[in-house]
Amino acid sequence: SDVCSSDLDPSGRYLIGLKSDTTSGSRLPEQERALEHLNELGITGMQLYQHVGIAVARLTPQQVAALEADPAISFVEANREVTLLDTAQNAESTPTAKGGKGGREDSSGGGDTSEPNEWLDWGVRELWNGVNPPTAPGGGVAWVIDSGSSSKTGDLNISELSTGFSSSGQAGESWEDADGHGTHVAGTIAALSNGKGTVGVAPGATVAALRVFFPGEATYDDRVIAAINYVISKADPDKRNVINMSLGRSGAIATDGPYQQAIKAALGKNILFSIAAGNDNQDVDGFTPASAGDLEGVYTVSAAGRYAPHPKRPNAFVATTDTSYNLVMAHFSNYDDGSDTDDVKYAAPGLLITSLGLNGETVQMSGTSMAAPHMAGALLWREKLTPGPMVASWFTNYNGDAAPDPLVRLSA
């Protein structure tokens, strides 16, 4: 899609791809040649993300043209704004459904309070097919590229690796969440089974909170690339590493662009990705990084949920956690229309999801932002991962041309 000027970094920064095999972890001759050219052009204040082979710098139009003509440069792309995939609105009026109420065997409602002060959400129960999740396998790390995570929940195992990352390159940048989005995501992945708060898909798994979103500041592509670069530099290859990205922007991912190059560099280190499909009720082909889901090891995830008849509006429906209703694709979810490569591998619960708030309270949110962390938690259990029932579009006026996605499930 076309780039809107309002999406561009006003400081004039660009992402510059240095052609090489970035999996080596060191600069190769082609990279050195490209860096020499940057110096020859008088480019200063450059930030190099060595593990993904990408430099970030302010460029003039003349410098952009010169670099685009350099065979050692794989791309020169404007730095664009990315956003958290804001909590989607619940379905207050979604007329013209394709079907009616479905008889499911489990009608226990939205969650379970197996401990007096702890909530086991319907989404986690759905992934485990009604079985309480066991403690997470040792050695797994969920790298959450988001708004940070709260240290005040008492329900998360936050890694010291969170402290070492700075998306701006300035020392001392805090990973403490001031928004709540990242904490909610982290809770869905890994909240402890400890009698309080909530329980995650992989209870007690290590969370590395990589904060790239800050109040009152716009976030651009370079901060996300910096986070991926950091994961590659710090991830223990003997552990299971999963990056969760509940973020994005419009525009198809470029085949030889920065996200493709960074993601492939991480995949080369056996680091997997769970990416939110987006909440625009459109094909993911038009969104970044969601459209990277055709790569092996990248799991772009659509959102699933349930709907009940609206109590006051004929032919309208509202979101519900009542499990006596069929599980269908959420009305807001982006999807894969099935016309080309398979960009969406799974659906996961994303409607009326209860997880952690900033102070350890429970908070309910909806969106593909909430679906992706279910997948991330499941990837920490990858040997138990299995396709569940197919989740299909249900509304004729929302995601009507979506191809069905299998629900992510974990075998007990």
Side-chain angles (χ1 to χ4, degrees), residues 69 95 136 153 170 174 189 226 241 243 246 260 291 293 310 326 361 371 375:
T153 68
Q170 299 176 359
S174 172
I189 298 172
N241 294 281
I243 293 175
S246 292
Q260 192 90 339
S291 53
H310 196 287
N326 279 332
E361 74 279 18
M375 186 76 237

Side-chain angles (χ1 to χ4, degrees), residues 366-402:
S366 298
T368 56
S369 275
M370 285 64 251
H374 285 88
M375 186 76 237
L379 289 171
L380 292 173
W381 293 102
R382 60 194 67 169
E383 74 283 352
K384 295 180 178 289
L385 185 62
T386 182
M390 298 302 290
V391 176
S393 171
W394 192 55
F395 300 104
T396 57
N397 57 332
Y398 293 100
N399 45 52
D401 56 350

Side-chain angles (χ1 to χ4, degrees), residues 144 146 180-190 244 246 355-356 369-370 372-373:
V144 180
D146 211 290
H181 189 277
T183 301
H184 195 280
V185 166
T188 296
I189 298 172
N244 188 91
S246 292
S355 186
L356 294 173
S369 275
M370 285 64 251

Side-chain angles (χ1 to χ4, degrees), residues 9 27 41 60 89 97 114 126 137 174 205 232 254 291 304 312 359 376 411:
D9 181 349
R27 292 207 294 263
L41 291 171
T60 65
Q89 296 299 310
S114 55
E126 191 72 52
S174 172
I232 297 172
S291 53
K312 296 181 179 179
N359 295 303
S411 58

Side-chain angles (χ1 to χ4, degrees), residues 162-178:
S162 308
T163 305
F165 173 67
S166 170
S167 65
S168 67
Q170 299 176 359
E173 197 171 81
S174 172
W175 53 266
E176 193 72 36
D177 190 3

Side-chain angles (χ1 to χ4, degrees), residues 273-289:
F273 287 81
S274 179
I275 302 177
N279 303 330
D280 297 278
N281 181 33
Q282 296 181 41
D283 190 292
V284 295
D285 284 350
F287 295 86
T288 292

Side-chain angles (χ1 to χ4, degrees), residues 14-60:
Y14 284 77
L15 292 91
I16 306 158
L18 311 178
K19 285 185 179 176
S20 70
D21 175 10
T22 58
T23 61
S24 68
S26 60
R27 292 207 294 263
L28 300 180
E30 277 189 303
Q31 283 191 351
E32 295 290 359
R33 168 67 191 91
L35 291 170
E36 287 175 8
H37 192 186
L38 294 174
N39 291 327
E40 291 167 0
L41 291 171
I43 297 168
T44 59
M46 179 181 63
Q47 178 69 51
L48 176 63
Y49 298 116
Q50 180 171 313
H51 297 277
V52 295
I54 295 173
V56 178
R58 292 179 175 86
L59 301 177
T60 65

